[in-house]
Amino acid sequence: MTFLAIDVGNTRLKWALYDAHRPGAALIAHGAEFLDNIDRLAEISWAQLPVPTRMLGCVVAGDAAKRRVQEQMEQMVRWDVAPQWVVSSAEEAGLTNGYDYPSRLGSDRWVAMVGARHHVLAQGPARPLVVVMVGTAVTVECIDAEGKFLGGLILPGHGIMLRALETGTAGLHVPTGEVQTFPTNTSDALTSGGTYAIAGAVERMYQHLLQHCGQEPACIMTGGAGWKMAPSMTRPFELVDNLIFDGLLEIAARRFGG
């Protein structure tokens, strides 16, 4: 009962094939492609894969990218699996959606929160939770101990911040610098500014959740640029590599059953 999980982000498509559609399933193969290379999946990345029995994915890159993925799946002549995609809903896998319009919440945010919630529950009693995804964009989500998503922030990632400053100001076309306590050159000032902006957003949401729940929250971080943030975080946190895949496995276990 092999299971294909797909995460189509703003910049890259990531996929993973597991030996079952359940949490803790063994990873058989995985990979990533920039969105420009989606049309090579059937020819290269998926050519020698075992046939998946089930598939579930989330996509934030839009319907055009989703159609391209589905076209690649159709080219896999041995495959007979219907593509299914997560759309954020009022409730799923024990998580309640507090967004004003639940279906408008980005599916990657929703799936990552499902993964994070169950990651915390597997370690002990339920507790409030801050979930941080650091990628092209950065999201900071708050979940209470009962599993209700209270709300979250969206802010630019490092790359978008730097490009915005390069576009909107004169003389800031400089190499990437290092994070410093007191930056004394423009490269370090730009890199430090972006890093501390993200760290500050996480700290603010941590304080909001602590005040709202009266209990110290757990903090989980994920995303390709999460490691860059690690030295600058002001609160204890856990870096989890594949939170979206973890969430897809949790959802798949409930949707597809045994």
Side-chain angles (χ1 to χ4, degrees):
M1 296 288 289
T2 49
F3 172 67
L4 179 64
I6 297 179
D7 169 25
V8 189
N10 291 299
T11 305
R12 295 191 304 164
L13 177 151
K14 291 180 284 186
W15 60 269
L17 186 71
Y18 296 91
D19 69 350
H21 52 269
R22 56 172 172 72
L27 181 65
I28 298 172
H30 66 98
E33 296 283 355
F34 287 105
L35 296 190
D36 289 345
N37 298 328
I38 286 178
D39 303 318
R40 302 169 51 194
L41 284 167
E43 180 183 353
I44 300 175
S45 299
W46 293 347
Q48 303 301 320
L49 281 188
V51 176
T53 308
R54 301 280 191 180
M55 174 271 177
L56 187 65
C58 63
V59 55
V60 296
D63 287 340
K66 181 166 67 174
R67 284 193 298 271
R68 290 169 64 201
V69 175
Q70 293 177 169
E71 288 169 358
Q72 292 299 296
M73 293 180 65
E74 291 169 0
Q75 290 186 32
M76 302 300 295
V77 294
R78 296 181 299 117
W79 291 14
D80 184 21
V81 56
Q84 296 194 36
W85 304 93
V86 174
V87 176
S88 301
S89 57
E91 190 279 334
E92 181 127 41
L95 193 67
T96 304
N97 193 340
Y99 227 45
D100 291 343
Y101 302 96
S103 64
R104 296 184 183 178
L105 175 68
S107 61
D108 60 334
R109 297 170 65 188
W110 183 237
V111 170
M113 283 189 278
V114 169
R117 165 80 172 167
H118 286 278
H119 184 86
V120 169
L121 290 176
Q123 296 177 337
R127 57 188 296 198
L129 175 61
V130 178
V131 184
V132 186
M133 284 202 297
V134 187
T136 305
V138 176
T139 57
V140 188
E141 324 287 12
C142 290
I143 305 169
D144 68 15
E146 286 69 45
K148 181 179 180 181
F149 166 51
L150 302 173
L153 304 179
I154 304 174
L155 61 154
H158 286 87
I160 294 177
M161 289 188 200
L162 290 174
R163 287 195 295 274
L165 285 167
E166 288 178 352
T167 301
T169 59
L172 288 181
H173 298 273
V174 295
T176 301
E178 302 292 332
V179 177
Q180 302 289 351
T181 304
F182 301 106
T184 55
N185 61 71
T186 304
S187 294
D188 290 351
L190 289 167
T191 300
S192 301
T195 300
Y196 292 147
I198 295 169
V202 176
E203 173 64 23
R204 176 59 61 91
M205 294 304 276
Y206 186 100
Q207 291 288 347
H208 287 333
L209 191 57
L210 173 60
Q211 184 175 11
H212 180 82
C213 296
Q215 181 184 1
E216 291 281 346
C219 183
I220 292 182
M221 181 177 292
T222 192
W227 63 272
K228 294 182 181 178
M229 291 301 305
S232 302
M233 295 294 291
T234 55
R235 300 286 179 174
F237 72 96
E238 184 178 358
L239 189 61
V240 179
D241 286 337
N242 297 308
L243 205 54
I244 287 180
F245 289 156
D246 291 346
L248 288 171
L249 286 166
E250 290 284 351
I251 294 170
R254 289 159 177 80
R255 289 193 181 184
F256 302 143

